[in-house]
Amino acid sequence: MTADTSPARPVRVVIVDDHKMFRTGVKAELSEVAPGRLEIVGEAPGVDEAIKVVRATHPDVVLLDVHLPGGNGRGGVDVLHGCVAQESLTGQPVRFLALSVSDAADDVIAVIRAGARGYVTKSITGSDLATAIRRVADGDAVFSPRLAGFVLDAFGASAGEIAEIDEELDRLSLREREVMRLIARGYQYKEVAKELFISIKTVETHVSSVLRKLQLSSRHELTTWAMGRKLV
Amino acid sequence: MPVPYAPAPTGVVLEQPRMTRPTDGRWIAGVCAGLAEQVHLPVVWVRVGMALLGLSGPGLVGYVLFWALTPQRERDDVIDPAAPEAPHREKPQRPGGLALGVVIASVGLLFGMSQAIGPRLSLLLPVLAIGAIVVFGLTSADAAQRDRWLGRRSGWPALARLVAGALAVVAGAVVLLSRGQSIGVASDIAVATVIVLLGLLMLIAPLALRLWSDSADARSARARADERADIAAHLHDSVLQTLALIQRQATDPARVATLARVQERELRTYLYGGATDAEASLAAALAVVTDEIEMGHGIPIDVVISGDAQMDDHVHALVRALREALTNAARHGTPPVAVYAAAGPDLIEVFVRDHGPGLDIETIPEDRLGVRESIIGRMTRAGGSATVRRLDPGTEWTLTLPTPTPGSHP
């Protein structure tokens, strides 16, 4: 785990999940692995409650289940749409980390394109989750190995498509592809950094850049997924 | 979490509530009570109005039509969600009330006809008999025997009923005609018979329509029930069995974790679908291999695949080498074990990573056939390569296999 340096103030977290047992479990686990560094300020079991809680508590990070009851029936995507322009107590935008048991690419791509800063599976360990929350709170992106695999597929990187210039939205740059491949192989950010002889900060920059492409690209594969969820 | 195989219902437009006949507070068939609810008028007004109209023939025919067209209200407290197919959901109609309705309808019909053919009371009884028998025969199917009408259980009772009804009509007509002593009387009677038959047709047509729409409802309900039964059967065979196993082995955390993991994977395949034919694609073959290792060694393996490839002899060799590498990781490494397979247009790469103390290829004893032969040798013979390296912490295998470009392959 990356050491969390000088946590001046605990990260304020809201947990949105329709299973009470899961919320309780995550709460217990987080307070165990990161005592004092994470503060659970609210919980919600559905879309409408989630929007209310976020507006009321102004958290730093929302742990967001992808499938939720209520709203327009689009789960986490509805919450993201309902919380546009919400700010935390420090004036940062409220950031969302998607949490799912779903392996379905369209679910994951949908919440990312709706604005989530990352995606992790529910089988993640407590300490990894704490690190991911911290990272999202700092404005970085969090990719699970599986999301990295999706990204490589969606951008055609596994078929050899590489962007000519880094700014191109529809393809990954060579470096971004390397980073994604290492994450897919199960490497932590610091291991990626070591492997590529770059700093962790640079790894984070690459991942954020991939996230931006994922959100803004009009690549056919992504828009097909997004249109299936009525996002475009 | 809402189950993905049951998407949220979309676009259910609530219509004006359909008129129903209440089972409580009815006098005859509940038509007036239902009508009063529908138009928001006091039931007394409706009843008085219906009685006034009923003094003429058409009013009574209208009453019967309403009664045939509108379904009887299902009582909420009778509906048992656990038994959606229970055949006796509707409260059986009281035959007395129905017969009364039919009798009144027939009388009204006769009054209407009497203007055309003159009052011949001798006609009254046979016509009444025909009307009562046929209409009552039809309507007794309204609730409890609807299933049989729809041919769900057996077509014979329904057919027998229809035949009996038709016989009754014919018999009544014969009786009527045989009473005629002159040609003039006979023609009057023929006209009367035609009118009666037309009346019956009017009664039957709406009922038939209703039965038709009910059968569509029943079909979709059956499809839903079938699906639910399928899911229940699957969950019983898989999840419930696993949960029972877990309870019995609750003292062995490793075993419990493995059971949960295996079940999770199995359920995932069931819910989200997935490649099932291990002979068809690399992705499917990888899934099978990792499942086996997970089950055999009780360690979780995270699998990520991008791209896919057709299976051939060389890819088979790759999968067997991967199995060996995974077995090694499971035996000597430490979880989490991660597999990443990238199938590109001209190269398949598979990475297997664990977090154990590390494996140094130089220190592997010569007799460890597993690593040298099963992984490296196998990959080399398939035209690829296998390398292993130490990470901090852990070991990572890299298996690469060039895929022949289409056309260059013999």
Side-chain angles (χ1 to χ4, degrees):
Chain A
M1 297 311 93
T2 47
D4 293 323
T5 48
S6 65
R9 164 193 83 73
V11 176
R12 304 174 73 250
V13 180
V14 163
I15 303 176
V16 181
D17 195 296
D18 52 339
H19 288 133
K20 189 166 190 301
M21 208 152 69
F22 184 79
R23 295 201 304 270
T24 315
V26 167
K27 250 176 23 184
E29 216 167 16
L30 286 181
S31 61
E32 191 180 310
V33 298
R37 287 186 289 140
L38 299 173
E39 183 192 352
I40 312 297
V41 294
E43 297 178 37
V47 170
D48 308 301
E49 300 89 335
I51 295 172
K52 261 182 228 150
V53 168
V54 169
R55 285 168 189 270
T57 56
H58 301 284
D60 297 308
V61 175
V62 178
L63 275 186
L64 185 64
D65 190 2
V66 173
H67 297 280
L68 287 171
N72 297 328
R74 286 184 285 137
V77 172
D78 281 340
V79 177
L80 282 153
H81 286 172
C83 295
V84 169
Q86 288 296 305
E87 290 190 345
S88 70
L89 290 180
T90 51
Q92 297 290 316
V94 174
R95 291 176 172 123
F96 291 82
L97 176 59
L99 200 60
S100 173
V101 293
S102 169
D103 280 357
D106 46 359
D107 286 345
V108 178
I109 301 296
V111 283
I112 296 283
R113 280 179 81 90
R117 297 290 302 170
Y119 160 79
V120 292
T121 43
K122 282 187 172 175
S123 55
I124 190 172
T125 63
S127 59
D128 283 354
L129 182 60
T131 310
I133 290 172
R134 192 86 217 173
R135 194 162 268 145
V136 168
D138 291 343
D140 292 320
V142 172
F143 279 23
S144 69
R146 202 178 293 276
L147 179 54
F150 286 156
V151 167
L152 287 166
D153 255 349
F155 284 98
S158 45
E161 289 186 50
I162 288 301
E164 305 283 326
I165 50 166
D166 284 1
E167 289 70 29
E168 195 182 332
L169 279 178
D170 289 350
R171 285 185 288 191
L172 300 183
S173 73
L174 204 56
R175 210 47 154 174
E176 286 161 355
R177 186 180 80 146
E178 281 312 306
V179 171
M180 284 297 119
R181 274 167 61 91
L182 286 169
I183 292 175
R185 281 156 70 176
Y187 282 49
Q188 305 283 342
Y189 283 20
K190 64 173 178 187
E191 292 171 321
V192 175
K194 196 173 152 198
E195 181 77 16
L196 298 178
F197 303 106
I198 53 179
S199 69
I200 291 184
K201 202 66 223 166
T202 312
V203 174
E204 286 169 346
T205 309
H206 284 308
V207 178
S208 293
S209 155
V210 173
L211 182 83
R212 200 174 126 262
K213 290 186 179 183
L214 202 48
Q215 287 169 343
L216 299 180
S217 169
S218 53
R219 231 191 119 89
H220 171 70
E221 290 85 346
L222 295 167
T223 46
T224 317
W225 276 329
M227 267 163 55
R229 304 283 291 193
K230 299 192 185 72
L231 291 174
V232 179
Chain B
M1 175 163 317
V3 279
Y5 50 79
T10 51
V12 175
V13 181
L14 284 178
E15 296 167 358
Q16 169 88 6
R18 191 176 171 189
M19 176 176 160
T20 52
R21 290 177 288 114
T23 48
D24 299 326
R26 56 158 59 170
W27 279 7
I28 301 171
V31 168
C32 289
L35 204 56
E37 270 179 39
Q38 190 75 3
V39 297
H40 305 293
L41 282 177
V43 66
V44 183
W45 294 14
V46 178
R47 284 200 171 120
V48 169
M50 189 61 85
L52 287 177
L53 280 174
L55 288 180
S56 66
L60 281 164
V61 173
Y63 185 95
V64 174
L65 278 180
F66 261 120
W67 160 70
L69 267 168
T70 50
Q72 178 157 269
R73 182 170 310 160
E74 293 174 355
R75 287 168 41 158
D76 289 345
D77 55 351
V78 175
I79 299 173
D80 179 1
E85 289 297 296
H88 293 280
R89 213 155 76 177
E90 292 180 13
K91 188 180 171 184
Q93 304 201 9
R94 277 168 294 178
L98 282 188
L100 189 61
V102 171
V103 169
I104 294 173
S106 304
V107 172
L109 215 57
L110 274 184
F111 271 127
M113 291 187 308
S114 66
Q115 287 159 7
I117 61 171
R120 285 176 198 272
L121 284 178
S122 62
L123 291 177
L124 185 60
L125 284 176
V127 171
L128 266 184
I130 296 167
I133 291 172
V134 174
V135 176
F136 183 62
L138 277 171
T139 54
S140 67
D142 183 59
Q145 282 162 328
R146 190 173 58 198
D147 284 359
R148 266 170 275 176
W149 275 100
L150 296 173
R152 185 177 305 171
R153 305 246 160 70
S154 145
W156 292 110
L159 195 61
R161 195 176 290 276
L162 275 179
V163 168
L167 280 180
V169 171
V170 172
V174 167
V175 169
L176 272 175
L177 287 174
S178 70
R179 289 176 60 90
Q181 276 125 19
S182 70
I183 296 170
V185 173
S187 75
D188 281 356
I189 293 169
V191 170
T193 309
V194 168
I195 292 174
V196 169
L197 287 178
L198 281 177
L200 286 176
L201 195 66
M202 283 170 63
L203 288 177
I204 294 167
L207 190 67
L209 282 176
R210 204 170 103 207
L211 286 175
W212 179 258
S213 82
D214 281 359
S215 88
D217 288 353
R219 264 199 304 274
S220 74
R222 218 176 326 154
R224 275 200 305 276
D226 283 353
E227 196 185 335
R228 193 163 34 204
D230 265 359
I231 293 169
H234 180 88
L235 292 185
H236 177 267
D237 290 347
S238 57
V239 179
L240 286 184
Q241 303 285 3
T242 305
L243 286 177
L245 268 178
I246 284 177
Q247 285 174 41
R248 234 182 297 156
Q249 313 196 357
T251 47
D252 181 353
R255 181 86 184 119
V256 167
T258 309
L259 281 170
R261 179 92 186 169
V262 168
Q263 182 56 64
E264 178 196 333
R265 191 162 278 187
E266 199 262 342
L267 191 59
R268 226 177 247 295
T269 312
Y270 174 72
L271 292 180
Y272 306 117
T276 47
D277 187 2
E279 291 302 307
S281 80
L282 174 66
L286 282 186
V288 170
V289 167
T290 47
D291 273 1
E292 281 175 15
I293 303 289
E294 263 194 358
M295 261 185 274
H297 295 269
I299 56 147
I301 300 172
D302 290 316
V303 189
V304 177
I305 300 167
S306 66
D308 202 353
Q310 299 271 325
M311 293 300 279
D312 61 20
D313 287 349
H314 296 227
V315 181
H316 269 300
L318 171 75
V319 172
R320 281 193 289 271
L322 165 71
R323 167 198 288 279
E324 206 55 45
L326 272 175
T327 311
N328 259 304
R331 277 207 203 116
H332 310 293
T334 313
V337 175
V339 175
Y340 171 53
D346 38 40
L347 189 69
I348 301 174
E349 293 165 286
V350 179
F351 303 90
V352 180
R353 197 238 159 120
D354 68 58
H355 287 77
L359 170 78
D360 193 338
I361 192 82
E362 300 303 323
T363 65
I364 299 174
E366 285 297 325
D367 60 335
R368 281 280 301 282
L369 202 70
V371 170
R372 289 196 185 282
E373 193 44 40
S374 308
I375 304 178
I376 302 174
R378 191 173 263 153
M379 287 309 296
T380 312
R381 281 195 299 279
S385 65
T387 55
V388 65
R389 62 187 195 126
R390 288 177 83 152
L391 297 172
D392 184 23
T395 308
E396 185 177 58
W397 279 98
T398 305
L399 314 177
T400 55
L401 183 71
T403 48
T405 45
S408 73
H409 201 65

